[in-house]
Amino acid sequence: MEDKRKYYGHTKEDPVTKNVLPKTDWQLLLDHLQSVSRLAEERAGKFGAGKLGSIAGLVHDLGKYSVEFQNRLERKSAKVDHATAGAQAVYKWYGPMVGGALAYAVAGHHGGLPDGAKGNEKNLPGRLKKTDIPNYQAYIQELVLPGLVETDLSSIPIPKTKNMAAFSRAFFIRMLYSCLVDADYLDTESFMTPDRAAARTETVSLATLLTRLNVQLDKLGERSREQPSTINTARQGILANCVAMAQQAPGLFTLTVPTGGGKTYSSLAFGLNHAVKYEKERVIYVIPYTSIIEQNAQVFREALEEVGAVEPVVLEHHSSFEYPDMSFEDWNPDEKAHRLASENWEAPVVVTTSVQFFESLFANKGSRCRKLHNMVNSVIILDEAQMLPVEFLQPCLWALAELVLNYGATVVLCTATQPAVKPLLPAGLTPIEIMPNPKELQQIFKRVTVEYAGAMTDEQVAAAMADKQQVLTIVNTRRHARLLFDRLQQLMPEGNYHLSARMCPAHRRQVLDAIREALKLGKPCRVVSTQLIEAGVDVDFPAVFRAAAGLDSIAQAAGRCNREGRRPEGGRVIVFDPEKHGMPSRGRFQEVASIAKEVMRRAARNSEDVQSPEAIEFYFREFFSEEEKYLDATGIIQSLDAGKRELAFPFPEIAEKFQLIDSATFPVVVPWDTRAEELMDEAEYHPFPASRARSLQPYVVQIYQHELAALEKNRAIKLVGGILRFITDRSFYDDCFGLKDAGEVKAAQDVWIF
């Protein structure tokens, strides 16, 4: 006898009473499966796997065809495993390779990509053999699993070399998973919470954004012509080269532009021109530091967004806050659009951090992987590419190569000190340099001499600073910055400034404005800063002291010296060996600084410029040679290779290993000024406090677990809305140094932080 039962995928609640509505308002399971199948096919079709995306969407909820799950919807039974059924079906139907890839995505569409190793019933092999799952064969009344023909698989990504086989296949599984979970989220959202779906606004075309950018660039060009100089002429030449080279075929590019060469606008011009020419879907701008992401995002907004527009043109996505679901209803329209776009990067221009970008590429949870398919057919620009973390350099480069070779992406490694990564790239991938004359550019932008001064005590550095009207000293640790500043204050109490990440962005911005004003007016201006000032901060000092560091950091410091080239005598950068508290004990910082010092000595012996492309290349060759065994320190590529025959990939383990920041930090909001206090009060008494998270970002300081614990012990922290941490005692925030490093808040070892 034919079963006339209706099978449902989701119930529906009354938006006001939250009571479950009658079944006539529920979503039919077949409708859900067909919709997810269509959406997943669209997404996977971008990399030739449309048929596999369609199948994954069609089978992902096969387990809901069981009586037990239908009873669960009626609240008559406990939780039911509904993902294993579809995984077993595709594995049986399509075999261990194609079916195995599909099984990973289907089995993990709620809990995350599972481990492919045998021996644990929760891992994929255990789930594929699981027998105690409810009978779901009723699906055959409504669905027929489609067959696969050769043409369905002819365009899917394949490993370009034998040694990339495991990495490429695992990458493909993660991409397929991204398509499925995003499709599932979107269809479920469309049915369950249509107001959320409606808030996903249409985006602006890249052609429109390119037109807007050209208007801005014309204004900047006119300003440069009104103030003619060799530097301004060179910047216009850099921009013109970027626009011209954007016509080159998609691939891997390097953009070697000296600090001060205007590479932010020029690289964006390359990205948008290239995207329009080759019908790319978005431009993704990856920045190493959270401290400057807001600055770059603002530059892009001013160039690309129209005042008052709601659509998310420039999506700024980093990890200061996560947005809890319960707060959505109270977000204003532009906040809603931004938040929703951050879930899957559905925006034409994304500005994000290296942490967010790369950790997503190696994640196994749906919430982190949803965005991956939107990296396909995109232009990806990595600013300050030399800052890619050494311990994960090989996996990072392989991921970028995979995006270029198999997923239609164009990648630009953008830096003033181009790392010598060519020997580390797989599959013979060779980058194309956008600038025809990096060496000549280096000479044009050569505004400083770099000299190595040897060891200097804090007292000697402070005395040298006090002897100058305007000077910047960049150190490696917050502790050193504070001790040196205190020493300077004793010698010369006026005209001194301190900068570190202990200060909230609003505080730093105020201090930087004061610094720029003092520099402009020729007033005394002596600054002690951590490395954060090297990250694209536009300041111009006649002299800079730099505590020993890598040559790339020294080059960044030089970019804050005689920046505009208006001092005929040039600027001076003095590199010194600090006292013990000035060198981080974590990582291999000492070794990196030693290589830089050897390069400086070598350059001095040979009368060479330490900032020349040759010196930089020598530094990175030595660096990578010295660090070769650490380029994949956690063994990610090796752990994938171990399981390549049976697609036994340890996805959860890799996600856990791939942590670019080895110590988790927590955002705390500080009562820096009256505006901060007003926003904090507003959030505290608001029914949805987290809806005020973005407006509070200028008042956020990131702290470590031990610091958070110490503040909580002192009852200086209040948790608001389950997510926002407020500093409640203003005395814990210093008007000079920012959030206090109280004596009772001591780390087990030195913390090197930007």
Side-chain angles (χ1 to χ4, degrees), residues 234 238 256 258 435 437-446:
I238 290 167
T256 309
M435 288 296 111
N437 54 350
K439 189 170 182 178
E440 181 183 325
L441 277 178
Q442 190 271 332
Q443 288 298 319
I444 292 172
F445 281 87
K446 179 174 167 51

Side-chain angles (χ1 to χ4, degrees), residues 144-161:
V144 175
L145 297 189
L148 283 173
V149 296
E150 189 175 337
T151 54
D152 292 329
L153 304 176
S154 61
S155 298
I156 66 171
I158 59 173
K160 297 305 182 189
T161 60

Side-chain angles (χ1 to χ4, degrees), residues 524-742:
C525 184
R526 303 174 193 87
V527 178
V528 179
S529 175
T530 61
Q531 302 98 313
L532 70 84
I533 202 168
E534 294 173 350
V537 178
D538 188 1
V539 289
D540 187 353
F541 287 84
V544 172
F545 286 84
R546 181 59 170 93
L551 198 59
D552 49 339
S553 294
I554 292 168
Q556 289 296 317
R560 313 311 126 197
C561 185
N562 195 24
R563 188 175 178 85
E564 298 300 322
R566 296 201 174 103
R567 296 178 176 88
E569 72 282 5
R572 288 181 67 206
V573 175
I574 301 98
V575 180
F576 66 95
D577 292 325
E579 295 185 43
K580 184 178 179 180
H581 56 255
M583 293 298 282
S585 57
R586 294 175 65 146
R588 292 176 297 282
F589 194 86
Q590 296 273 8
E591 291 94 318
V592 171
S594 294
I595 296 170
K597 283 184 280 188
E598 177 53 37
V599 174
M600 287 187 284
R601 292 189 192 102
R602 177 178 176 271
R605 286 195 304 268
N606 300 328
S607 300
E608 294 174 350
D609 183 2
V610 74
Q611 302 171 82
S612 69
E614 294 85 355
I616 297 294
E617 185 176 355
F618 176 81
Y619 166 77
F620 277 111
R621 274 205 313 269
E622 291 293 302
F623 174 73
F624 291 142
S625 175
E626 182 79 19
E627 302 290 308
E628 184 177 6
K629 60 181 176 292
Y630 300 114
L631 300 181
D632 183 11
T634 59
I636 287 170
I637 292 175
Q638 183 180 351
S639 64
L640 288 171
D641 280 338
K644 63 185 176 185
R645 287 190 177 181
E646 298 178 333
L647 297 186
F649 301 131
F651 288 111
E653 177 189 325
I654 288 172
E656 186 176 346
K657 282 181 176 179
F658 198 94
Q659 302 291 323
L660 296 194
I661 299 175
D662 60 1
S663 298
T665 59
F666 302 86
V668 295
V669 181
V670 297
W672 158 243
D673 57 14
T674 54
R675 178 57 181 157
E677 291 171 348
E678 290 169 0
L679 288 169
M680 291 167 76
D681 285 343
E682 184 180 317
E684 185 171 356
Y685 296 105
H686 199 280
F688 304 105
S691 67
R692 298 299 177 260
R694 286 190 69 210
S695 62
L696 286 164
Q697 283 184 15
Y699 307 103
V700 166
V701 176
Q702 297 283 345
I703 62 174
Y704 288 95
Q705 175 67 57
H706 70 275
E707 297 171 314
L708 177 62
L711 288 167
E712 288 173 339
K713 184 178 179 180
N714 281 276
R715 299 184 180 180
I717 290 273
K718 176 185 286 187
L719 188 64
V720 175
I723 186 172
L724 303 176
R725 295 181 178 90
F726 290 173
I727 298 293
T728 56
D729 187 344
R730 182 62 170 82
S731 67
F732 275 78
Y733 195 89
D734 186 275
D735 288 339
C736 179
F737 300 113
L739 191 61
K740 288 183 179 178
D741 276 320

Side-chain angles (χ1 to χ4, degrees), residues 111 118 139 155 217 248 464 482 586 592 642 699 735 746:
K118 297 177 182 177
Y139 83 85
S155 298
L217 293 177
Q248 293 280 323
R482 183 158 184 169
R586 294 175 65 146
V592 171
Y699 307 103
D735 288 339
K746 286 190 176 179

